[in-house]
Amino acid sequence: MRLGAGLAAVLLLASGSGRALELALDPATLDAAQRQRALDLLARVQSRLPARWQADPRRLSLRFDPQLPADVAGRHRHGELRLSPRLLQLPATPAAHDLAQATVLHEIAHAFDRGEGGGWSRQAQFRRLAGWDRRGANAYALRSPDGYERHSPAEAFAVNLEWYLLDPQYRCRRPALAAWYRKQLGPAPLPGVACADALPLLVAGGAAAQLELETLDPARVYAVDYLLADSGEAAMSRFGHAMLRLVVCAPGREPGPHCRMDLAYHRVLSFRAFVNDVQVSSWRGLTGAYPARLFVLPLDQVIDEYTRIELRDLQAWPLALSPAQIDALLHLAARAHWSYDGRYRFIGNNCAVESGRLLDLALTPSRRRLQATTPRGVLQRLQRAGLAARQRPSTRSEDGLYFASAREDYRQLLQGLQEAGSAPPLPLERWLEGTARQRGEPAPDLPLQATAAWWVLETAALRRAELRALAQLKRQLGSGAPELQARLADWQRFSGLFDAPASLLPAAGYGIVQPDELDALAQALARHDEEGQARWQALHEAAAQALPSAQREELERTRQRVHRLAGRMRRLAAAPD
């Protein structure tokens, strides 16, 4: 619709160059008071627009249309902005995200994006950063400022532009997108806000069902490694597992090569299927039935899980990343940790695909082809891009790049006991899978070294027995054991907190957690820890009771043996020479 000069109130958004954006307000549906409120609103919007847009010599017509549906605040079509008159009833507010201003900015964003020189929402880099670089729905569904950003890339561009221009904290909550908007459109006309140096993350604790809040300072991360676990026996691990290891320096240590020995402070970023139903189904993993999350784990837990329980090697490949790239990677990982709500697929969206995608986002566009469907495929792409060495890194454990399966250690310990006549002559695999009677009884007068060897082996046997018990429970679910069914249902409801750490926070926030949210998060974690331990213990007891009596008694015998051996080690170690 073209407006006659006598019908339009024209607001020129002037710049020093004499060029200006022209907003033409159609006053036909407005009385005098509404017209003044509309002009005041447009003046406030003018102060928020990027300077590049203010200097753009295009004309946009605006009309407050009472015929818009009740659930629609604004629409854009062919350079015309239709707005709901209800926006003029809203009081001007000092809140960061004023709804009336946000609506007008949203529709102006569509006009520029769809007009000449636009197309920002179609740029590959924007789509990657906004979560629109994969098939299907946008997976960044948690901690969102407005769920409408998941409607389409165009809506994602407009929604995020609102917040970039209105919320001073946007650059702290979504730093990668804020940097992209700044590069494309210039700085937001907002007061400066200092972002916190440290990134809040929830890290798996030492106890079952425990989460701990950590704040990771990117300046303490000396390097990032591609961490590869060898293939395992289970169907979902036959290709190995891809992770990213953060080489975090101990407090007080200057970042440098020595930080590689600070293993207790290293953290691992691991995309995994979150399975809270106890039953791991290959079919469900193939079809995307399991949620996928970015977990943050202590390195020592990862080493223990893979090398001592699953008997798989771990190999770290240092990545040639600059400090700026490491910083970008960590901020993108923090956003994924709090916001990513994906679906795990063994083939199309697994640990390798997600790890490669995260690296793509942190690197320059010329190095973005790192995604592959297998962990070794990602490694090969890293090598071709010059980001990882082509030759195999050191396999010496003292270099901190190789963590061997405990299989050979267990074999040597068992061989030593057998040569001393302290254990029956069984192969390691049969010994670990056998009953306590088949493994033999440790003599009561064993010296400290032999006692320690027995304790290590018995602990490994106990973990293997617990895995077999879990497999037995999987076969029983759905056929009896009402107490276990009830406890499992209770655990499934509660464990959604592990599934989505963002659920511990109030709904008002978005993006990376900010310092003013940490108190509420700490209180929620304290409640979660207390409730989680009680629920886990109840589930553990119900699971034990649901096992066949022979299997339950065998587990208890092995636990008692481990306990006795640990007590004897302490007594022998404390005894004078």
Side-chain angles (χ1 to χ4, degrees):
M1 173 181 175
R2 291 187 61 84
L3 302 176
L7 296 178
V10 177
L11 186 67
L12 296 178
L13 308 185
S15 69
S17 65
R19 296 159 58 89
L21 172 66
E22 180 181 331
L23 297 180
L25 174 66
D26 181 354
T29 61
L30 305 176
D31 59 27
Q34 289 175 322
R35 178 180 175 181
Q36 185 57 52
R37 286 197 293 271
L39 291 173
D40 291 343
L41 171 60
L42 296 184
R44 296 199 304 274
V45 167
Q46 182 272 340
S47 68
R48 298 290 192 173
L49 285 172
R52 295 180 189 177
W53 285 7
Q54 293 187 31
D56 190 291
R58 74 181 69 194
R59 175 189 175 98
L60 299 177
S61 61
L62 298 91
R63 180 162 60 95
F64 286 86
D65 186 354
Q67 301 303 315
L68 280 178
D71 60 343
V72 175
R75 281 179 177 168
H76 164 264
R77 184 178 176 83
H78 301 310
E80 180 185 56
L81 279 59
R82 296 168 59 202
L83 306 168
S84 171
R86 292 188 302 277
L87 296 175
L88 299 177
Q89 300 172 9
L90 300 175
T93 171
H97 193 262
D98 179 285
L99 178 59
Q101 290 187 72
T103 301
V104 180
L105 288 170
H106 186 104
E107 301 309 324
I108 290 176
H110 281 320
F112 273 87
D113 186 38
R114 296 165 182 167
E116 183 180 355
W120 292 283
S121 65
R122 297 190 296 274
Q123 289 186 16
Q125 181 69 356
F126 171 76
R127 292 194 174 207
R128 290 196 300 272
L129 292 173
W132 283 101
D133 59 332
R134 67 190 82 199
R135 295 179 180 178
N138 189 318
Y140 283 85
L142 309 175
R143 297 275 295 172
S144 170
D146 184 347
Y148 198 50
E149 67 174 332
R150 298 176 65 234
H151 180 75
S152 69
E155 296 300 343
F157 172 76
V159 167
N160 279 278
L161 183 67
E162 297 170 30
W163 289 86
Y164 173 70
L165 296 175
L166 293 174
D167 185 5
Q169 281 198 338
Y170 184 84
R171 58 184 292 269
C172 307
R173 294 179 177 274
R174 288 189 168 178
L177 274 168
W180 181 86
Y181 277 109
R182 182 182 180 89
K183 180 179 179 181
Q184 298 294 322
L185 304 176
L190 290 170
V193 172
C195 299
D197 292 330
L199 299 170
L201 301 169
L202 292 187
V203 181
Q210 185 180 52
L211 293 172
E212 297 177 351
L213 175 63
E214 288 189 4
T215 51
L216 177 65
D217 185 354
R220 289 181 53 219
V221 180
Y222 166 68
V224 176
D225 296 346
Y226 184 72
L227 188 62
L228 179 62
D230 279 351
S231 58
E233 298 175 0
M236 71 287 298
S237 61
R238 66 181 56 175
F239 298 110
H241 186 66
M243 297 164 280
L244 296 176
R245 170 201 190 179
L246 307 181
V247 180
V248 184
C249 302
R253 186 190 294 278
E254 189 71 20
H258 292 299
C259 295
R260 288 200 168 275
M261 295 298 102
D262 296 332
L263 299 183
Y265 296 93
H266 295 186
R267 296 295 177 258
V268 174
L269 305 178
S270 178
F271 284 97
R272 301 184 178 197
F274 179 83
V275 183
N276 68 348
D277 63 359
V278 182
Q279 298 207 63
V280 177
S281 161
S282 297
W283 175 251
R284 295 184 72 189
L286 284 167
T287 57
Y290 293 125
R293 298 286 179 264
L294 177 57
F295 291 84
V296 185
L297 307 166
L299 177 63
D300 54 5
Q301 285 191 24
V302 174
I303 294 172
D304 186 70
E305 173 187 352
Y306 285 104
T307 66
R308 298 187 182 95
I309 300 177
E310 298 187 16
L311 303 182
R312 298 161 65 180
D313 292 343
L314 278 173
Q315 180 81 59
W317 301 73
L319 299 180
L321 302 183
S322 68
Q325 289 172 326
I326 292 176
D327 184 82
L329 174 67
L330 296 177
H331 281 86
L332 288 161
R335 185 198 169 192
H337 178 65
W338 291 106
S339 301
Y340 180 63
D341 185 27
R343 310 306 298 176
Y344 192 92
R345 292 178 176 84
F346 292 162
I347 296 176
N349 197 53
N350 55 29
C351 61
V353 172
E354 292 291 9
S355 298
R357 177 180 284 116
L358 185 60
L359 287 167
D360 283 345
L361 289 174
L363 306 182
T364 59
S366 61
R367 285 180 168 176
R368 58 174 292 264
R369 295 294 183 184
L370 299 175
Q371 296 178 44
T373 56
T374 67
R376 293 195 179 278
V378 173
L379 176 59
Q380 291 170 1
R381 295 193 177 195
L382 287 167
Q383 292 170 330
R384 286 198 295 268
L387 296 172
R390 289 187 176 272
Q391 67 274 19
R392 186 178 178 89
S394 171
T395 55
R396 300 189 310 167
S397 59
E398 58 266 28
D399 291 336
L401 297 176
Y402 181 71
F403 307 95
S405 161
R407 187 186 303 274
E408 186 58 31
D409 292 339
Y410 292 163
R411 197 184 310 279
Q412 291 181 13
L413 290 175
L414 181 58
Q415 182 179 349
L417 292 175
Q418 291 170 338
E419 290 175 352
S422 301
L426 294 174
L428 175 65
E429 287 71 16
R430 286 184 58 191
W431 196 94
L432 290 175
E433 303 299 326
T435 65
R437 178 174 297 180
Q438 291 170 329
R439 293 194 300 275
E441 185 67 33
D445 58 349
L446 285 174
L448 176 59
Q449 185 174 355
T451 301
W454 260 103
W455 177 81
V456 169
L457 291 168
E458 281 293 329
T459 300
L462 174 61
R463 290 176 168 181
R464 305 290 289 184
E466 289 173 339
L467 289 177
R468 294 195 299 274
L470 179 59
Q472 176 70 27
L473 289 173
K474 292 176 188 176
R475 292 190 291 269
Q476 288 183 226
L477 289 177
S479 59
E483 175 65 16
L484 176 59
Q485 298 281 14
R487 293 298 182 186
L488 181 57
D490 176 70
W491 177 253
Q492 287 174 321
R493 289 189 294 270
F494 177 75
S495 62
L497 298 175
F498 294 97
D499 179 12
S503 61
L504 289 165
L505 289 157
Y510 70 95
I512 297 173
V513 175
Q514 296 302 297
D516 58 2
E517 299 174 288
L518 292 182
D519 286 345
L521 179 58
Q523 294 174 18
L525 276 176
R527 293 191 301 269
H528 165 274
D529 186 46
E530 183 177 350
E531 295 176 15
Q533 295 302 316
R535 282 179 163 86
W536 180 258
Q537 184 62 33
L539 175 61
H540 189 272
E541 292 172 359
Q545 292 302 313
L547 288 170
S549 59
Q551 193 171 15
R552 183 170 64 250
E553 291 167 3
E554 179 64 29
L555 276 170
E556 186 57 30
R557 278 194 293 269
T558 304
R559 289 193 187 100
Q560 290 178 3
R561 182 179 287 183
V562 169
H563 180 72
R564 289 197 305 270
L565 288 167
R568 176 168 176 77
M569 277 196 303
R570 287 192 293 269
R571 291 192 298 273
L572 290 173
D577 295 336

